Amino acid sequence: MQTIDRESAGSARVAIVGGIHGDEPAGERIVRRIADELPALDEGEERGDGVKGIVRLIVANERALAAETRYTDADLNRAFPGDADSDEYERALAPRLTAALEGFDAVLALHTSHSAPPPFAIFSDLTESVRRTVTGLPLEHVVDASGLRSTTLDSTVPHTVSIEVGRQGSEAAVEYGHEACLAFLRVHGALADEPPAFSETTVVEGREEVPKGGGEPHVHYANFEAIPAGAVFAEDDVHTHRVEEPGLVPVLASERGYDDIFGMYGRVTGVLKPPGEGELRVYPRDETDGRRDSAANEAGGEN
Ligand SMILES: [Zn+2]
């Protein structure tokens, strides 16, 4: 793990993590580019005292990056909180990464996938910082993964948002991810080159994974595209995944990206509003004024 600390324009302590997966080189490239662009910390300056802001840039899994493989012993993003005494490289790395992010106000973890654009964010625990990050990123959708795994970085380290910046190995992923990092730094006051921009973000609750069997795989709907009830989302020689429930959308849909799944089903639950615009919660999409009480919210949440 490599940690590079840089000067922040503000008081927040923010971190960007790349290279959690070694076969996703975009994250490391983005982190190093940001490191080149931000001023170095003054030698005499105290760091980690909570008084002055800091931008911490981390290249997480150097061993897997060198081997150009997702992981060496265990998937790091399925290994949290980890075990410092483990013989498995990633299980021992997880607590070191967690410690490097302790006390940070906002964390952005960079990923790429085999799935098609558009880019999207993922959170597990909605805090004010997470809301600020998500609504400040240049994207339309965020996946609420709170009902899914609890072994990921965003489910372990407070105020962490993961972002899928694009297709694995593509230049577009590096370019977009770089822009997303600048937006992240701006909304947390760490970069003062231009004012931060916020927008409502559609929240998609992550549901179950869609298993893949064997033979020729076909995926019929794109990420975040509504699958009509009765339509087939994906199929191969083993499975025909006909969707009976209305309102489902694919997340991380891919014909050949994963050995065992076509992706995941998600369901749109509403929108996150920018900081200062209403309470910290997901607003159902038909609720426009933001002033209705929580009982109305729960009733509307069924839509
Ligand atoms: Zn990844």
Side-chain angles (χ1 to χ4, degrees), residues 21 24 70 111-112:
H21 292 132
E24 301 176 15
R70 185 172 171 92
H111 289 274
T112 53

Side-chain angles (χ1 to χ4, degrees), residues 19-24 70 75 77-78 109-113 163-164 168:
I20 287 175
H21 292 132
D23 58 349
E24 301 176 15
R70 185 172 171 92
D75 188 331
N77 214 28
R78 306 284 181 272
L110 305 171
H111 289 274
T112 53
S113 80
I163 180 171
E164 292 284 350
Q168 213 153 313

Side-chain angles (χ1 to χ4, degrees), residues 250-303:
V251 178
L252 288 172
S254 169
E255 288 182 342
R256 299 178 194 280
Y258 309 97
D259 291 338
D260 50 349
I261 59 169
F262 286 110
M264 200 167 59
Y265 288 131
R267 183 181 181 79
V268 175
T269 53
V271 295
L272 271 186
K273 298 189 176 200
E277 297 180 23
E279 301 156 37
L280 178 64
R281 63 177 172 94
V282 177
Y283 284 81
R285 275 209 289 201
D286 57 350
E287 189 182 342
T288 51
D289 63 9
R291 287 191 298 268
R292 289 162 63 178
D293 62 26
S294 57
N297 175 36
E298 291 198 2
E302 297 302 312
N303 289 341

Side-chain angles (χ1 to χ4, degrees), residues 172-294:
V174 177
E175 291 307 315
Y176 170 82
H178 175 251
E179 284 304 313
C181 285
L182 297 181
F184 168 75
L185 294 173
R186 284 180 197 121
V187 298
H188 291 285
L191 184 65
D193 61 340
E194 51 185 83
F198 296 95
S199 61
E200 280 191 357
T201 309
T202 300
V203 180
V204 177
E205 177 192 31
R207 304 281 282 266
E208 75 270 31
E209 292 179 337
V210 184
K212 199 166 151 178
E216 189 63 21
H218 297 284
V219 168
H220 301 298
Y221 289 87
N223 286 332
F224 305 112
E225 180 184 16
I227 309 169
V232 173
F233 159 54
E235 59 193 321
D236 58 16
D237 294 355
V238 177
H239 298 285
T240 300
H241 294 293
R242 193 176 301 279
V243 169
E244 307 298 348
E245 180 185 346
L248 293 188
V249 299
V251 178
L252 288 172
S254 169
E255 288 182 342
R256 299 178 194 280
Y258 309 97
D259 291 338
D260 50 349
I261 59 169
F262 286 110
M264 200 167 59
Y265 288 131
R267 183 181 181 79
V268 175
T269 53
V271 295
L272 271 186
K273 298 189 176 200
E277 297 180 23
E279 301 156 37
L280 178 64
R281 63 177 172 94
V282 177
Y283 284 81
R285 275 209 289 201
D286 57 350
E287 189 182 342
T288 51
D289 63 9
R291 287 191 298 268
R292 289 162 63 178
D293 62 26
S294 57

